[in-house]
Amino acid sequence: MGLQVYRSDYCGDLAARDVGRKVILAGWVHRRRDHGGLIFIDLRDREGIVQVVFSPEVSAEAFKIAEAVRGEYVLRVEGEVRRRPPGTENPRLKTGEVEVYATACNILNRAKTPPFLIEDEINVDEDLRLRYRYLDLRRPEMQEAIRMRHRAAKAVRDFLDAHGFWEIETPMLTKSTPEGARDYLVPSRVNPGRFYALPQSPQLFKQILMVAGMDRYFQIVRCFRDEDLRADRQPEFTQIDIEMSFVDVDDVLSLSEALIAAVCREVAGVEVKTPFPRLTYADAMEFYGTDKPDLRYGMRLTDVSDLVAGSEFKVFAGAVAAGGCVKGIAVPGAASFSRREIDELTRYAALFGAKGLAYIQLTPEGPKSPILKFFKPGEIEALAGRLEAGTGDLLLFVADRRPVVQRSLGALRTHLAAMLGLVPAGFAFLWVVDFPLLEYDETEQRYVAVHHPFTAPREEDIPLLATDPGRVRAKAYDLVLNGVELGGGSIRIHRREVQEELFRAIDLRPEEAAEKFGFLLEAFEYGAPPHGGIAFGFDRLLMLLLGRKTIRDVIPFPKTQSAQDLMTGAPAPVTAHQLAELHIRLQLKEPAVARAQVSGPLVGSKGN
Amino acid sequence: MGLQVYRSDYCGDLAARDVGRKVILAGWVHRRRDHGGLIFIDLRDREGIVQVVFSPEVSAEAFKIAEAVRGEYVLRVEGEVRRRPPGTENPRLKTGEVEVYATACNILNRAKTPPFLIEDEINVDEDLRLRYRYLDLRRPEMQEAIRMRHRAAKAVRDFLDAHGFWEIETPMLTKSTPEGARDYLVPSRVNPGRFYALPQSPQLFKQILMVAGMDRYFQIVRCFRDEDLRADRQPEFTQIDIEMSFVDVDDVLSLSEALIAAVCREVAGVEVKTPFPRLTYADAMEFYGTDKPDLRYGMRLTDVSDLVAGSEFKVFAGAVAAGGCVKGIAVPGAASFSRREIDELTRYAALFGAKGLAYIQLTPEGPKSPILKFFKPGEIEALAGRLEAGTGDLLLFVADRRPVVQRSLGALRTHLAAMLGLVPAGFAFLWVVDFPLLEYDETEQRYVAVHHPFTAPREEDIPLLATDPGRVRAKAYDLVLNGVELGGGSIRIHRREVQEELFRAIDLRPEEAAEKFGFLLEAFEYGAPPHGGIAFGFDRLLMLLLGRKTIRDVIPFPKTQSAQDLMTGAPAPVTAHQLAELHIRLQLKEPAVARAQVSGPLVGSKGN
């Protein structure tokens, strides 16, 4: 084109204060309308849309060009900003008070008709959006997501920099880390038969950085897990990764709260209240039946075992006698549920192991329930009172072993809150603390670490490592937002004696430990400081703060459930020569592999 | 430990203003001296070192603990800041005016004796440093490198954010990009027989983001090239990646200058002068014999063909007559070089193809040279005049085909500047512009793109694509600092017609183009804006600004020349089960692979 200047202003920035100015704009044709001998083009750029008017009287040449223009053409427009005639202002548009009269126009590029409209709330198959991601990303709500993702990352970096943290890059081509999920592997050409692993997290490196005296580390970092993409996961995801030296649990938690508050301010314009409430893992399970409860609504799980231990209803009394418990929730306004609706709930609870679901409907006509006959006068009132329920509410009970009661009733609580619209808007942050350090793995017939095996036990529980490992509480914490786990971390073991005791508890032989974590264990011998940290899922955080339904809507180029990039076609076949250089060949029929060769998991279900 | 507070101050932050304060410090034992019944411990943390004094009179308990302390032990110390007695101040220490009298001390961790001293300028094998990187990183100069790396990244982000750029994350698990180096591949478990490639750069994605209307993109991003690690390369390296819409060459260059100036200010405390000088590729080759000249010193290559075309010295006259040229450089103060020294230079020039090296020594006694006899009176003076040489200088000439003259004399210039110590300190930035778009590949028997095949030609050269492709100049630019290529980029082709013409010129069939870059070509049909960008090598930039000898000294966890991480042991063997899940097996003996299967390079030697 040889143009000296493509643009003086963004389309979306023009306002009444610009009236009378000569401007140069560049952008995409959002809409074109011909009306009363004029052509109106809504010109769109990253900052918004402005109406450009083409009049043959202002510029016959520009008008002629505008006649040829179609949707998504790329234009350069010179013109003058004018106030719109009274009555034609568009209050839904940021620039709605003004329009630009074109004095010149160039078509910078033409465009085919896009396969879907470039506007919000389109009803299009997601695969089509991902296939044409460059068009999908032109939609205002996607532009907003990308802008806020940038703003959020900037807020994180500004905050942590101001608090003395250094962003330090850790390798992507590295060795397996002990997170427990499957690694993505990268064959080495120079080292035949050897493989790098892409990091599941920089866990070992961030601890190494503490041993190296970096004191306060962070990184917004890509992590990789080759998991089956159930739920809302991605093969690669982004983590805000933090580690600090000379700290204990409270230091990490209060720093995290201030950080999250800063991000909420930037991204959602919301002042969140700190400190966040804390629940022990035991209480979270007891009152909500989950380690990531949504605190935006009530329906706490309430233990009524003492009230029903002597009941004539043998299901209740029997469960208590067998060492289990009976718990109930009060579902507000659900007394009028039909038999069929209640059957549905029973089936739902059964998915989580509940063998039955007892219920009492507190109707205006009095309590109704198939088990009413088993209760003496006053007993129903006592149960309703314990559950803080009133007329119109539905009481649901599960009697079973405690884990079954917690799991099924917790699931019902979540299910009912969504179903009945009991979930208010807003952000309910929560710390869950004092996780168990170890859990017994039935398959492995031994204890495994719930988090990773460098998680520190609480000091007072260290003696239990040798005697009752399942009861040892960890200095581990999770941040939960609206029922979603946003992040987690722990204070780490920094003393070799404690580490060795833990390895003994999980039955990890010293040689095996050395093979897996040798360099970290060795590093700990050269003066490791007390340290701990946390990691937050950046994608999930954004999804929740922006109110999106899936993390794919806050990731510029996400992959599908089958780990494919529909735009680029990755993963793709490669040449035989490439494989030969990497010392591998394809083995498309999977042979039976001796499971004995495979070393079992060292860790449980939790990351970081 | 159950301690509530590990630290009130960093060791290195204490100063005279703190005298009288009670402080809590945590850090590593840098040195311990026993002197006059006292124990002196230099306690070190990220911010520096402070002297802690243990006196049995202040705390017998702390003194007793200090007696057990050895180097690199981790301590928590409570104490009082006192002014050092007159005469005992240490001006080499930031905290040298004060010392801390310990009132309490805890050993937080013990340490084995490190394999090397934790101090600057150690003389240790680099492999040992990499093996114990956590100890190496404790050394002040490494801490400084990591700190400045963080500060530089922050400065880049602050600058680009303030200039309307959004940092946007692009995928790591992606498809091969056309940079031309070898890809690192990642086998897909879910998609048998298919592979992801780790990005050599986000080139295609950043262009896609422009098509998506993001307008101004940047990313500080990890890139991967599986090259043989000659010179100072790393398998993974970090790039400052930038792309802008609606811009031409000058926009990218002036933004880049302001960015680099901001980083220099932050990292080196230096105000660099902008705009940077510019040289065309043709002039760079003509005057310096390289596309990355170091402008900190002179010795420009000077053409003397016209002066010697009619010379009796047939080597000169013959080269000119054959269409070649004769060029010379004046080496300051080198007139006294011995015959042997000059022979050495001749051999050096021969490495770069020069068949001979003519010389004239401008000694105080007059010019000396074996070729003196061929020159008429005044001719020597004319040559010296043209080369702006004076008494004491050595004139060196090469006569040959132009590329040989440029290459050999350019290499001599660099070689002599280093040898004679003619390179002053400082930062000499330079843009090299107007690179050729295409170069003829003798092996492939066709033209290939010098940069990548989306680089835009200069408008006035577009007609040459069909007639004389080798003469087409690209809208491509490199930033050179002190003779090192720091980065480069180009304005991209955004119109399909031009793209197709370029593909024709490099003999790339449409189907092949579609297979390799299909999604980008398709994206260009939906309204691609004019756009261009640049990428800077972040590791190299830091190395130069911090005056380090290798990029490994500014990378937290670098790999060796054989692409190994000596600390973690990556790459490492994996289990047969892991390979089976990925549908591959080892093929350790490399079979002969039919080269015919391998598609040739589409691009030449330049990135981005």
Side-chain angles (χ1 to χ4, degrees):
Chain A
M1 300 290 306
L3 297 167
Q4 282 310 298
V5 175
Y6 277 111
R7 175 166 62 200
S8 67
D9 292 78
Y10 280 112
C11 298
D13 284 348
L14 297 179
R17 65 174 177 276
D18 298 304
V19 168
R21 283 187 55 219
K22 295 205 185 309
V23 295
I24 307 173
L25 305 175
W28 285 262
V29 174
H30 194 64
R31 297 244 187 300
R32 193 192 106 171
R33 281 163 295 125
D34 297 37
H35 183 69
L38 301 174
I39 297 173
F40 295 88
I41 286 179
D42 285 348
L43 196 66
R44 188 191 68 235
D45 64 22
R46 192 181 76 176
E47 301 302 320
I49 286 173
V50 73
Q51 176 166 286
V52 180
V53 187
F54 293 83
S55 155
E57 286 161 28
V58 174
S59 167
E61 201 184 340
F63 186 83
K64 202 172 156 57
I65 291 170
E67 282 185 309
V69 156
R70 297 172 58 195
E72 300 306 315
Y73 272 36
V74 187
L75 303 187
R76 176 185 182 274
V77 172
E78 294 184 35
E80 188 190 310
V81 184
R82 297 194 192 169
R83 191 175 292 279
R84 292 204 194 187
T88 68
E89 299 92 345
N90 182 349
R92 283 172 308 152
L93 219 54
K94 217 173 31 152
T95 64
E97 287 185 71
V98 300
E99 56 196 3
V100 175
Y101 267 73
T103 53
C105 181
N106 310 89
I107 295 175
L108 298 176
N109 217 343
R110 290 180 296 279
K112 296 205 297 194
T113 304
F116 50 81
L117 289 176
I118 310 300
E119 60 184 30
D120 289 347
E121 288 167 35
I122 49 172
N123 184 14
V124 174
D125 182 48
E126 196 188 6
D127 280 1
L128 194 68
R129 288 174 51 206
L130 292 176
R131 165 93 176 70
Y132 294 96
R133 190 60 161 180
Y134 40 88
L135 298 176
D136 191 37
L137 287 173
R138 283 188 195 163
R139 300 187 306 112
E141 65 183 5
M142 290 307 294
Q143 297 243 325
E144 189 59 15
I146 301 300
R147 178 203 302 267
M148 293 322 298
R149 190 177 174 108
H150 163 64
R151 292 245 58 82
K154 189 71 173 53
V156 168
R157 291 189 161 105
D158 289 347
F159 176 91
L160 290 172
D161 177 65
H163 286 76
F165 287 81
W166 297 349
E167 186 159 21
I168 304 176
E169 295 177 67
T170 53
M172 292 282 152
L173 294 173
T174 181
K175 214 180 150 186
S176 284
T177 46
E179 269 75 9
R182 240 185 241 104
D183 284 319
Y184 278 103
L185 297 182
V186 183
S188 168
R189 178 177 56 86
V190 193
N191 303 277
R194 291 172 177 259
F195 293 77
Y196 304 98
L198 299 180
Q200 296 186 34
S201 90
Q203 185 61 40
L204 300 189
F205 284 101
K206 71 178 180 173
Q207 295 193 237
I208 283 287
L209 286 170
M210 296 302 103
V211 178
M214 295 299 163
D215 204 75
R216 300 188 145 209
Y217 145 93
F218 85 100
Q219 197 180 185
I220 300 185
V221 62
R222 203 70 56 82
C223 302
F224 304 84
R225 292 189 190 183
D226 187 8
E227 293 176 304
D228 297 307
L229 301 179
R230 61 193 159 82
D232 199 11
R233 299 261 176 112
Q234 285 282 311
E236 48 180 315
F237 56 96
T238 303
Q239 187 163 294
I240 306 170
D241 199 44
I242 293 174
E243 195 80 8
M244 312 160 71
S245 290
F246 304 113
V247 294
D248 212 329
V249 175
D250 284 348
D251 303 294
V252 180
L253 266 46
S254 63
L255 177 102
S256 298
E257 287 165 349
L259 169 66
I260 293 292
V263 175
C264 288
R265 206 172 294 132
E266 182 73 30
V267 174
V270 168
E271 282 299 326
V272 299
K273 231 183 86 187
T274 58
F276 301 151
R278 296 187 196 182
L279 271 178
T280 64
Y281 170 83
D283 282 351
M285 296 308 291
E286 189 64 15
F287 298 129
Y288 302 98
T290 171
D291 60 359
K292 35 180 183 287
D294 189 337
L295 294 196
R296 286 176 297 174
Y297 52 90
M299 287 197 284
R300 274 167 59 124
L301 280 51
T302 305
D303 200 304
V304 296
S305 303
D306 58 322
L307 296 181
V308 301
S311 170
E312 288 178 21
F313 184 44
K314 290 304 163 208
V315 173
F316 281 8
V320 178
C325 69
V326 183
K327 281 168 164 284
I329 58 173
V331 191
S336 57
F337 267 24
S338 67
R339 179 62 198 259
R340 192 168 149 174
E341 284 172 307
I342 289 170
D343 283 351
E344 198 69 60
L345 295 179
T346 307
R347 273 193 296 275
Y348 189 79
L351 296 176
F352 300 88
K355 286 185 289 289
L357 185 66
Y359 65 93
I360 303 173
Q361 294 162 294
L362 299 182
T363 72
E365 297 79 40
K368 286 189 189 168
S369 169
I371 58 169
L372 220 52
K373 56 188 169 198
F374 299 114
F375 290 91
K376 297 199 196 75
E379 282 186 344
I380 297 292
E381 286 68 27
L383 286 172
R386 174 71 63 84
L387 267 61
E388 296 175 10
T391 302
D393 294 348
L394 172 70
L395 310 186
L396 299 174
F397 299 93
V398 177
D400 211 315
R401 291 185 303 115
R402 187 168 295 267
V404 173
V405 172
Q406 290 173 341
R407 199 163 54 226
S408 57
L409 218 44
L412 270 180
R413 173 181 175 270
T414 312
H415 180 66
L416 283 160
M419 194 172 113
L420 299 173
L422 300 178
V423 188
F427 299 119
F429 287 98
L430 166 73
W431 289 112
V432 177
V433 299
D434 290 350
F435 280 86
L437 185 68
L438 306 170
E439 65 192 358
Y440 195 75
D441 184 307
E442 295 291 346
T443 325
E444 295 276 321
Q445 294 271 307
R446 60 179 180 87
Y447 282 95
V448 297
V450 173
H451 292 71
H452 63 73
F454 304 108
T455 304
R458 288 180 55 143
E459 279 82 7
E460 61 270 41
D461 292 358
I462 291 179
L464 293 173
L465 271 175
T467 58
D468 193 355
R471 277 185 53 216
V472 178
R473 289 164 301 168
K475 287 191 173 184
Y477 29 81
D478 273 3
L479 180 61
V480 176
L481 169 57
N482 296 354
V484 176
E485 182 196 326
L486 261 197
S490 64
I491 300 300
R492 327 297 182 184
I493 299 171
H494 68 280
R495 294 172 73 121
R496 182 143 188 147
E497 311 87 82
V498 181
Q499 189 67 66
E500 280 166 358
E501 224 170 318
L502 180 100
F503 284 158
R504 264 195 301 279
I506 62 174
D507 225 355
L508 185 63
R509 283 170 299 110
E511 316 85 76
E512 206 182 335
E515 195 208 319
K516 302 245 169 210
F517 319 112
F519 69 99
L520 185 60
L521 296 178
E522 188 175 16
F524 281 172
E525 299 196 329
Y526 289 95
H531 62 288
I534 194 163
F536 301 101
F538 189 55
D539 308 304
R540 278 197 210 175
L541 176 62
L542 281 166
M543 175 188 79
L544 291 171
L545 294 186
L546 295 175
R548 304 296 165 97
K549 285 195 189 69
T550 148
I551 56 169
R552 292 187 299 280
D553 280 350
V554 298
I555 295 175
F557 300 101
K559 293 192 175 59
T560 62
Q561 296 263 324
S562 53
Q564 291 173 328
D565 179 339
L566 296 182
M567 186 181 74
T568 64
V574 298
T575 66
H577 177 67
Q578 280 178 293
L579 296 183
E581 278 198 320
L582 299 174
H583 320 286
I584 57 172
R585 56 193 271 194
L586 292 184
Q587 173 86 355
L588 289 177
K589 238 197 235 152
E590 205 166 308
V593 169
R595 296 292 299 195
Q597 284 192 318
V598 184
S599 64
L602 289 159
V603 295
S605 49
K606 307 283 296 178
N608 285 80
Chain B
M1 302 291 308
L3 297 166
Q4 282 311 297
V5 176
Y6 277 112
R7 174 166 63 201
S8 68
D9 293 77
Y10 279 113
C11 298
D13 284 347
L14 295 179
R17 64 174 177 277
D18 298 302
V19 167
R21 284 186 54 219
K22 294 205 185 309
V23 294
I24 307 174
L25 305 174
W28 285 261
V29 174
H30 193 65
R31 297 245 186 299
R32 193 192 105 170
R33 281 162 295 124
D34 297 34
H35 182 70
L38 301 174
I39 298 173
F40 296 87
I41 287 179
D42 286 345
L43 197 65
R44 189 191 66 236
D45 62 23
R46 193 182 76 177
E47 301 302 320
I49 287 173
V50 73
Q51 177 166 288
V52 181
V53 186
F54 293 83
S55 154
E57 284 162 29
V58 174
S59 166
E61 201 185 339
F63 185 85
K64 202 173 158 55
I65 291 170
E67 284 185 308
V69 157
R70 298 174 56 197
E72 300 306 314
Y73 272 36
V74 187
L75 302 188
R76 176 185 182 276
V77 172
E78 294 183 37
E80 187 188 310
V81 184
R82 298 194 192 170
R83 191 176 293 278
R84 291 204 195 189
T88 68
E89 298 92 346
N90 183 350
R92 282 173 308 151
L93 219 55
K94 219 175 26 154
T95 62
E97 287 185 72
V98 300
E99 56 196 1
V100 174
Y101 267 74
T103 52
C105 180
N106 310 88
I107 295 173
L108 299 176
N109 217 342
R110 288 180 297 278
K112 296 206 296 195
T113 305
F116 49 82
L117 288 176
I118 309 299
E119 60 185 27
D120 288 347
E121 289 165 35
I122 49 172
N123 184 15
V124 174
D125 182 49
E126 196 188 6
D127 280 1
L128 195 67
R129 288 174 50 205
L130 292 176
R131 165 91 176 71
Y132 295 94
R133 190 61 161 178
Y134 41 87
L135 298 176
D136 190 37
L137 287 173
R138 282 187 196 164
R139 299 187 307 113
E141 63 183 6
M142 291 307 294
Q143 298 243 325
E144 189 60 13
I146 301 301
R147 179 202 302 265
M148 293 321 298
R149 190 177 175 107
H150 163 64
R151 293 246 56 82
K154 190 71 173 53
V156 168
R157 291 189 160 105
D158 288 349
F159 176 91
L160 290 172
D161 176 65
H163 286 76
F165 287 80
W166 296 350
E167 186 159 21
I168 304 177
E169 294 177 66
T170 52
M172 291 283 151
L173 295 172
T174 180
K175 214 180 148 186
S176 285
T177 47
E179 269 76 8
R182 241 185 242 104
D183 284 318
Y184 278 103
L185 298 181
V186 183
S188 169
R189 179 177 56 86
V190 192
N191 303 277
R194 293 172 176 261
F195 292 77
Y196 304 97
L198 299 179
Q200 295 186 34
S201 91
Q203 185 61 39
L204 300 188
F205 284 100
K206 70 177 179 173
Q207 295 195 237
I208 284 286
L209 286 169
M210 295 302 102
V211 178
M214 294 299 162
D215 206 75
R216 300 189 145 209
Y217 145 94
F218 84 100
Q219 197 179 185
I220 300 183
V221 62
R222 203 71 57 81
C223 301
F224 305 83
R225 293 190 189 180
D226 187 7
E227 293 175 306
D228 297 307
L229 301 179
R230 61 191 160 80
D232 199 11
R233 300 262 175 111
Q234 284 282 312
E236 50 180 314
F237 56 97
T238 302
Q239 188 164 293
I240 307 171
D241 198 45
I242 293 174
E243 195 80 7
M244 312 160 71
S245 291
F246 304 113
V247 294
D248 211 329
V249 175
D250 284 349
D251 302 294
V252 179
L253 265 47
S254 63
L255 178 103
S256 298
E257 287 165 351
L259 169 66
I260 294 293
V263 175
C264 288
R265 205 172 295 132
E266 181 73 31
V267 174
V270 168
E271 282 298 327
V272 299
K273 229 183 86 188
T274 57
F276 300 152
R278 295 187 196 181
L279 271 180
T280 64
Y281 171 82
D283 282 351
M285 297 306 292
E286 190 62 16
F287 299 129
Y288 302 98
T290 170
D291 61 357
K292 35 180 185 284
D294 189 337
L295 295 195
R296 285 176 299 175
Y297 53 89
M299 286 197 284
R300 276 168 55 126
L301 280 51
T302 305
D303 201 305
V304 296
S305 303
D306 58 321
L307 295 180
V308 301
S311 170
E312 287 177 24
F313 184 43
K314 291 306 162 203
V315 174
F316 281 8
V320 177
C325 69
V326 182
K327 283 168 164 281
I329 58 173
V331 189
S336 55
F337 267 26
S338 68
R339 179 64 197 260
R340 192 171 151 172
E341 283 170 307
I342 289 169
D343 283 351
E344 199 69 59
L345 296 179
T346 307
R347 274 193 296 276
Y348 188 78
L351 296 176
F352 300 89
K355 286 186 288 290
L357 185 66
Y359 65 92
I360 303 173
Q361 294 161 293
L362 300 182
T363 71
E365 297 79 38
K368 286 189 189 167
S369 168
I371 59 171
L372 219 52
K373 54 190 170 195
F374 298 112
F375 291 91
K376 296 196 196 77
E379 283 185 342
I380 298 291
E381 286 68 28
L383 286 171
R386 174 71 63 83
L387 269 62
E388 297 175 10
T391 301
D393 294 350
L394 173 68
L395 311 186
L396 298 174
F397 300 93
V398 177
D400 212 314
R401 291 186 304 115
R402 189 168 294 267
V404 173
V405 173
Q406 291 174 341
R407 198 162 56 227
S408 57
L409 218 42
L412 270 180
R413 174 180 176 270
T414 312
H415 180 66
L416 282 160
M419 196 171 110
L420 298 173
L422 301 177
V423 188
F427 300 119
F429 287 98
L430 165 73
W431 290 111
V432 177
V433 298
D434 290 349
F435 279 86
L437 185 68
L438 306 171
E439 65 191 357
Y440 195 75
D441 185 307
E442 295 291 345
T443 325
E444 296 275 321
Q445 293 271 306
R446 60 178 179 86
Y447 282 95
V448 297
V450 173
H451 291 71
H452 63 72
F454 305 108
T455 305
R458 288 180 56 144
E459 279 83 8
E460 62 270 41
D461 291 356
I462 292 179
L464 293 173
L465 272 174
T467 58
D468 193 356
R471 279 184 53 215
V472 178
R473 289 164 301 170
K475 287 190 173 184
Y477 29 80
D478 272 4
L479 181 62
V480 176
L481 169 56
N482 296 352
V484 175
E485 183 197 326
L486 261 197
S490 64
I491 300 300
R492 327 297 182 182
I493 300 171
H494 68 281
R495 295 171 73 122
R496 183 144 188 147
E497 312 85 82
V498 181
Q499 189 67 66
E500 281 167 358
E501 225 170 320
L502 181 104
F503 284 159
R504 265 195 301 279
I506 61 174
D507 225 354
L508 186 63
R509 284 169 298 109
E511 316 85 75
E512 208 182 334
E515 193 209 321
K516 300 245 167 209
F517 319 114
F519 69 99
L520 186 60
L521 296 178
E522 189 175 15
F524 280 173
E525 300 197 329
Y526 289 95
H531 62 287
I534 195 164
F536 301 101
F538 189 55
D539 308 305
R540 278 198 211 173
L541 176 62
L542 281 165
M543 175 188 78
L544 290 172
L545 294 186
L546 294 176
R548 303 297 166 97
K549 285 197 189 68
T550 148
I551 56 170
R552 293 187 297 281
D553 279 349
V554 298
I555 296 174
F557 300 101
K559 294 191 174 58
T560 63
Q561 297 261 324
S562 53
Q564 291 174 328
D565 179 340
L566 296 181
M567 185 182 74
T568 64
V574 298
T575 65
H577 177 67
Q578 281 178 292
L579 295 184
E581 278 198 318
L582 299 175
H583 320 285
I584 58 172
R585 56 192 268 196
L586 292 184
Q587 173 84 356
L588 287 178
K589 237 197 236 153
E590 203 167 312
V593 170
R595 295 293 299 195
Q597 284 193 318
V598 183
S599 64
L602 289 160
V603 296
S605 49
K606 307 283 295 181
N608 287 77

